[in-house]
Amino acid sequence: MTEQLRAGQVDDLDAPALHAWPEPEPPAADPGVGLSVDHGLVRELRREAAERLAARLQANPLTDATARQELCRSLLADVLTARSRDAARAGAPGWSVEEEFALADAVMSALFGLGRLQPLVDDPMVENIEVNGHDQVWVSYADGREERGPAVADSDAELLEQLQHLAARVAGNERTFTTANPRLHLRLEDGSRLAAMAWTTPRPQVVVRRHRVRDVDLDDLIALGMLDTALVAFLRAALRSGKNIIVTGLQNAGKTTLIRALANEFDPMERFATIEREYELHLHELPDRHPRVVAMEAREGSSERDASGRRAGEVTLSELVVDALRMNLRRIIVGEVRGSEAVPMLEAMSTGDGSLCTIHSRTAAHALDRLVTLCLSADIGMTDTFAYRLVAGSVDLIVHARLLDETHIGGRRHRFVSDIVEINGMGEFGRPTTTTVFAPGPDGRAAPTHAPACLPELIRAGFDPGFLDHRTGTWTMPLDLVGAPS
């Protein structure tokens, strides 16, 4: 058993990237999975293994994270062997192989993973995890289920300790999580995004959003019912003709998945940049699709501040957008625009073609006002008239994704595109003119409404205008049979 531990046959700490399509089947049971463990004993074993690891690293430092984990795995096997030997001498019952695997897995997760959150993150069927205090856990699954989850710590204090330990070891961008900095935003090693709050709430709050599907294109979204063939043909032609596209929608509507699918339609030889607060698109992890992508991630900075109040080492999205303009790029993708970075993003769109970004918005029409509000928040003396003019000269299409949640009536959640709006430049009264190309049909899904002004360009890019004659769209499945991942 201990030789198996040294050989690394305990479950890996990092969940595998999920590229399977459609939804993956639940994994086969591994040794120790599902067994309850004594979490007090796990804490003791973690402390003993950590002390041994610290002593070994002090004598022989290891910079490679994988090497440190393998060393710790070997040391932990020694700890477990010694514990088993002591129990046998005392006449106490020993652990079964399954129990020893479960203990080893729990200790390694506590040291290098997410502790008791790790099994939930490793489950390929889990989409979101919400923690409202150590013992109030809710889990959302890909099939629409929302269930109570197990406690992730024995106390709120232990949960905070685990989060602080996690923040301190973020590679290359260490974070602090203290009363002076009560917010934590991290990209986990499997690509999931963690957000946490404490001290400003009665109990610690944690949300983990998982990105179950990464390698996805527009045809895949037809299979999941998020798009129909008319929308796919339209969007492909829009990308080929260099239209700047903003994807809008509320949380969990599938905006990130749609941006991934749009980007995966780029020619493999195109050089473009992705700019994000935390990596969520993961396009740089698909070298066969995107060998020339430049992936950029903002940096929060340390708790120290300079004379101007700026965090030491901070790199903002706005600065990255400006930097990207010097990188010989055709397109720029900003994963989510929600602040002053809206201004450089729109300026980049106005001087280039085919860029993409997402924003939170209740409707496609509301996205215009939302963009202007973000521009005004930049505090650079911009007027609303100039902001509307900047939007009108930069954005070509607004694509709105909608989440229809029918779980409260025994149904499921459905994600689909409901609108596409074309921006036609400035009109009267200081606002852009628009054309609703696709509007919600009887079931809320997008159906062709008006021909866009850019139709000749789309036809040159291969679009068949006959798709616009299907006034109810070309959806192939009824709404109650479709859904798409966030």
Side-chain angles (χ1 to χ4, degrees):
M1 162 61 189
T2 54
E3 293 305 316
Q4 289 175 302
L5 288 173
R6 289 190 180 94
Q9 294 178 18
V10 180
D11 293 343
D12 285 341
L13 297 175
D14 302 331
L18 299 176
H19 299 288
W21 199 271
E23 293 175 355
E25 295 294 327
D30 291 323
V33 174
L35 290 178
S36 61
V37 297
D38 181 343
H39 294 292
L41 178 58
V42 170
R43 284 195 295 273
E44 291 180 22
L45 294 171
R46 171 191 170 185
R47 187 179 306 111
E48 189 171 348
E51 289 173 353
R52 293 192 182 196
L53 179 63
R56 289 286 293 272
L57 292 178
Q58 187 173 9
N60 182 26
L62 293 174
T63 58
D64 181 71
T66 301
R68 286 198 300 271
Q69 290 187 26
E70 290 308 312
L71 173 59
C72 184
R73 200 187 301 275
S74 177
L75 295 173
L76 176 58
D78 293 339
V79 171
L80 291 171
T81 298
R83 290 273 184 146
S84 295
R85 188 181 301 117
D86 291 343
R89 288 171 179 168
W95 298 308
S96 67
V97 171
E98 291 78 10
E99 289 170 332
E100 195 165 341
F101 265 110
L103 278 172
D105 189 56
V107 173
M108 292 296 288
S109 292
L111 284 168
F112 297 102
L114 300 174
R116 289 156 68 176
L117 268 172
Q118 192 67 51
L120 294 174
V121 174
D122 288 342
D123 186 340
M125 302 304 291
V126 169
E127 282 197 345
N128 297 310
I129 305 164
E130 299 172 359
V131 179
N132 307 316
H134 75 279
D135 57 351
Q136 300 290 323
V137 181
W138 294 93
V139 183
S140 301
Y141 291 89
D143 59 7
R145 289 178 294 132
E146 292 193 351
E147 297 180 356
R148 186 78 174 262
V152 295
D154 287 340
S155 66
D156 286 355
E158 183 184 332
L159 175 59
L160 287 173
E161 180 185 356
Q162 183 69 31
L163 291 169
Q164 290 169 331
H165 177 67
L166 180 65
R169 69 169 194 261
V170 177
N173 194 9
E174 293 77 9
R175 312 289 176 92
T176 58
F177 188 47
T178 63
T179 53
N181 187 36
R183 298 178 297 274
L184 180 65
H185 300 280
L186 296 176
R187 172 180 50 86
L188 305 180
E189 292 186 14
D190 75 326
S192 302
R193 186 173 71 179
L194 180 146
M197 298 173 59
W199 301 287
T200 56
T201 56
R203 304 186 68 185
Q205 303 290 313
V206 184
V207 172
V208 178
R209 293 191 60 191
R210 299 189 63 243
H211 299 285
R212 298 176 47 254
V213 182
R214 298 185 190 177
D215 192 355
V216 55
D217 59 26
L218 294 179
D219 287 329
D220 293 324
L221 296 189
I222 293 177
L224 287 173
M226 192 172 188
L227 302 173
D228 69 354
T229 54
L231 288 166
V232 167
F234 182 89
L235 291 172
R236 277 200 175 118
L239 289 169
R240 290 171 185 157
S241 57
K243 298 303 176 186
N244 293 321
I245 300 174
I246 291 182
V247 175
T248 68
L250 298 177
Q251 281 192 344
N252 295 314
K255 298 186 299 297
T256 301
T257 296
L258 182 53
I259 284 285
R260 282 195 199 106
L262 291 169
N264 283 339
E265 299 292 332
F266 295 171
D267 185 286
M269 294 310 295
E270 277 195 17
R271 180 174 167 85
F272 66 96
T274 60
I275 301 174
E276 305 175 85
R277 284 182 174 80
E278 295 91 23
Y279 290 131
E280 293 185 82
L281 294 171
H282 302 289
L283 300 180
H284 58 288
E285 297 177 4
L286 303 174
D288 292 339
R289 283 193 185 269
H290 307 295
R292 301 178 67 187
V293 64
V294 179
M296 305 181 185
E297 185 179 47
R299 290 178 56 183
E300 186 177 276
S302 70
S303 57
E304 299 179 2
R305 296 181 181 268
D306 59 21
S308 65
R310 181 187 176 99
R311 290 178 178 272
E314 180 184 20
V315 180
T316 67
L317 286 186
S318 296
E319 291 169 331
L320 289 178
V321 173
V322 173
D323 291 341
L325 296 177
R326 303 184 178 97
M327 299 299 292
N328 192 33
L329 306 166
R330 180 187 177 188
R331 309 177 196 255
I332 295 174
I333 302 176
V334 176
E336 182 182 346
V337 172
R338 61 187 185 200
S340 59
E341 66 273 5
V343 175
M345 179 66 209
L346 290 172
E347 290 176 343
M349 283 184 164
S350 68
T351 58
D353 61 353
S355 292
L356 307 170
C357 72
T358 74
I359 66 168
H360 283 83
S361 175
R362 292 183 290 109
T363 65
H366 177 248
L368 290 174
D369 296 325
R370 173 83 174 133
L371 278 170
V372 168
T373 299
L374 294 177
C375 288
L376 297 179
S377 72
D379 195 26
I380 56 175
M382 183 181 292
T383 65
D384 56 353
T385 300
F386 184 83
Y388 277 117
R389 188 175 297 279
L390 180 59
V391 172
S394 306
V395 182
D396 298 305
L397 296 170
I398 297 175
V399 179
H400 189 71
R402 182 184 172 193
L403 169 65
L404 177 62
D405 190 343
E406 296 181 326
T407 55
H408 62 287
I409 57 173
R412 55 177 298 184
R413 290 176 296 178
H414 311 283
R415 297 178 176 93
F416 50 83
V417 168
S418 61
D419 309 72
I420 295 183
V421 174
E422 180 188 33
I423 309 299
N424 305 119
M426 284 296 288
E428 297 179 357
F429 310 112
R431 292 180 62 90
T433 60
T434 62
T435 299
T436 301
V437 184
F438 290 81
D443 59 3
R445 296 184 293 184
T449 305
H450 299 97
C454 66
L455 183 58
E457 297 176 67
L458 300 182
I459 292 173
R460 285 195 296 272
F463 179 65
D464 179 359
F467 278 115
L468 300 178
D469 296 331
H470 295 271
R471 292 303 179 181
T472 59
T474 58
W475 302 93
T476 57
M477 292 182 288
L479 190 61
D480 61 350
L481 295 181
V482 300
S486 61

